[in-house]
PDB file of all heavy atoms in Angstrom:
ATOM      1  N   GLU F 162      88.916  84.179  97.935  1.00 98.00           N
ATOM      2  CA  GLU F 162      88.262  85.270  97.247  1.00 98.00           C
ATOM      3  C   GLU F 162      88.473  86.487  98.079  1.00 98.00           C
ATOM      4  O   GLU F 162      88.789  87.660  97.509  1.00 98.00           O
ATOM      5  CB  GLU F 162      86.854  85.046  96.940  1.00 98.00           C
ATOM      6  CG  GLU F 162      86.155  86.140  96.248  1.00 98.00           C
ATOM      7  CD  GLU F 162      86.826  86.613  94.905  1.00 98.00           C
ATOM      8  OE1 GLU F 162      87.329  85.773  94.104  1.00 98.00           O
ATOM      9  OE2 GLU F 162      86.958  87.781  94.590  1.00 98.00           O
ATOM     10  N   ALA F 163      88.257  86.409  99.314  1.00 98.00           N
ATOM     11  CA  ALA F 163      88.607  87.598 100.221  1.00 98.00           C
ATOM     12  C   ALA F 163      90.054  87.939 100.274  1.00 98.00           C
ATOM     13  O   ALA F 163      90.302  89.222 100.212  1.00 98.00           O
ATOM     14  CB  ALA F 163      88.140  87.171 101.696  1.00 98.00           C
ATOM     15  N   GLN F 164      90.919  87.067 100.230  1.00 97.00           N
ATOM     16  CA  GLN F 164      92.444  87.429 100.123  1.00 97.00           C
ATOM     17  C   GLN F 164      92.646  88.161  98.835  1.00 97.00           C
ATOM     18  O   GLN F 164      93.425  89.240  98.843  1.00 97.00           O
ATOM     19  CB  GLN F 164      93.241  86.166 100.196  1.00 97.00           C
ATOM     20  CG  GLN F 164      93.148  85.453 101.620  1.00 97.00           C
ATOM     21  CD  GLN F 164      93.896  84.127 101.705  1.00 97.00           C
ATOM     22  OE1 GLN F 164      94.424  83.644 100.619  1.00 97.00           O
ATOM     23  NE2 GLN F 164      93.998  83.681 102.873  1.00 97.00           N
ATOM     24  N   ARG F 165      92.171  87.710  97.537  1.00 96.00           N
ATOM     25  CA  ARG F 165      92.343  88.485  96.467  1.00 96.00           C
ATOM     26  C   ARG F 165      91.706  89.887  96.508  1.00 96.00           C
ATOM     27  O   ARG F 165      92.488  90.852  96.071  1.00 96.00           O
ATOM     28  CB  ARG F 165      91.643  87.690  95.245  1.00 96.00           C
ATOM     29  CG  ARG F 165      92.459  86.470  94.853  1.00 96.00           C
ATOM     30  CD  ARG F 165      91.979  85.888  93.483  1.00 96.00           C
ATOM     31  NE  ARG F 165      90.589  85.320  93.619  1.00 96.00           N
ATOM     32  CZ  ARG F 165      90.395  84.063  94.064  1.00 96.00           C
ATOM     33  NH1 ARG F 165      91.448  83.178  94.095  1.00 96.00           N
ATOM     34  NH2 ARG F 165      89.233  83.483  94.069  1.00 96.00           N
ATOM     35  N   GLN F 166      90.633  90.006  97.125  1.00 96.00           N
ATOM     36  CA  GLN F 166      89.978  91.220  97.184  1.00 96.00           C
ATOM     37  C   GLN F 166      90.855  92.243  98.127  1.00 96.00           C
ATOM     38  O   GLN F 166      91.041  93.423  97.781  1.00 96.00           O
ATOM     39  CB  GLN F 166      88.527  91.262  97.737  1.00 96.00           C
ATOM     40  CG  GLN F 166      87.809  92.556  97.743  1.00 96.00           C
ATOM     41  CD  GLN F 166      86.401  92.467  98.160  1.00 96.00           C
ATOM     42  OE1 GLN F 166      85.778  91.431  98.294  1.00 96.00           O
ATOM     43  NE2 GLN F 166      85.874  93.656  98.649  1.00 96.00           N
ATOM     44  N   TYR F 167      91.326  91.609  99.230  1.00 96.00           N
ATOM     45  CA  TYR F 167      92.009  92.494 100.217  1.00 96.00           C
ATOM     46  C   TYR F 167      93.377  92.980  99.558  1.00 96.00           C
ATOM     47  O   TYR F 167      93.869  94.028  99.732  1.00 96.00           O
ATOM     48  CB  TYR F 167      92.244  91.744 101.577  1.00 96.00           C
ATOM     49  CG  TYR F 167      92.967  92.565 102.651  1.00 96.00           C
ATOM     50  CD1 TYR F 167      92.556  93.997 102.800  1.00 96.00           C
ATOM     51  CD2 TYR F 167      93.868  91.994 103.432  1.00 96.00           C
ATOM     52  CE1 TYR F 167      93.125  94.665 103.899  1.00 96.00           C
ATOM     53  CE2 TYR F 167      94.438  92.718 104.336  1.00 96.00           C
ATOM     54  CZ  TYR F 167      94.057  94.076 104.621  1.00 96.00           C
ATOM     55  OH  TYR F 167      94.651  94.874 105.591  1.00 96.00           O
ATOM     56  N   ILE F 168      94.031  91.919  98.901  1.00 94.00           N
ATOM     57  CA  ILE F 168      95.224  92.336  98.243  1.00 94.00           C
ATOM     58  C   ILE F 168      95.153  93.373  97.289  1.00 94.00           C
ATOM     59  O   ILE F 168      95.968  94.373  97.073  1.00 94.00           O
ATOM     60  CB  ILE F 168      95.919  91.033  97.573  1.00 94.00           C
ATOM     61  CG1 ILE F 168      96.422  89.973  98.823  1.00 94.00           C
ATOM     62  CG2 ILE F 168      97.143  91.321  96.671  1.00 94.00           C
ATOM     63  CD1 ILE F 168      96.849  88.723  98.230  1.00 94.00           C
ATOM     64  N   LYS F 169      94.062  93.357  96.517  1.00 93.00           N
ATOM     65  CA  LYS F 169      93.767  94.367  95.531  1.00 93.00           C
ATOM     66  C   LYS F 169      93.443  95.828  96.033  1.00 93.00           C
ATOM     67  O   LYS F 169      93.858  96.706  95.456  1.00 93.00           O
ATOM     68  CB  LYS F 169      92.553  93.873  94.558  1.00 93.00           C
ATOM     69  CG  LYS F 169      92.257  94.778  93.481  1.00 93.00           C
ATOM     70  CD  LYS F 169      91.067  94.354  92.642  1.00 93.00           C
ATOM     71  CE  LYS F 169      90.698  95.283  91.552  1.00 93.00           C
ATOM     72  NZ  LYS F 169      89.483  94.679  90.714  1.00 93.00           N
ATOM     73  N   THR F 170      92.748  95.762  97.094  1.00 93.00           N
ATOM     74  CA  THR F 170      92.339  97.150  97.696  1.00 93.00           C
ATOM     75  C   THR F 170      93.144  97.666  98.705  1.00 93.00           C
ATOM     76  O   THR F 170      92.997  98.951  99.061  1.00 93.00           O
ATOM     77  CB  THR F 170      90.866  97.007  98.311  1.00 93.00           C
ATOM     78  OG1 THR F 170      90.796  96.000  99.354  1.00 93.00           O
ATOM     79  CG2 THR F 170      89.930  96.435  97.261  1.00 93.00           C
ATOM     80  N   SER F 171      93.952  96.866  99.467  1.00 90.00           N
ATOM     81  CA  SER F 171      94.712  97.356 100.580  1.00 90.00           C
ATOM     82  C   SER F 171      96.007  97.966 100.068  1.00 90.00           C
ATOM     83  O   SER F 171      96.742  97.488  99.076  1.00 90.00           O
ATOM     84  CB  SER F 171      95.124  96.184 101.448  1.00 90.00           C
ATOM     85  OG  SER F 171      95.899  96.540 102.550  1.00 90.00           O
TER      86      SER F 171
END
Side-chain angles (χ1 to χ4, degrees):
E162 181 56 38
Q164 289 178 355
R165 283 191 290 270
Q166 183 176 344
Y167 187 40
I168 290 172
K169 181 179 180 180
T170 58
S171 180

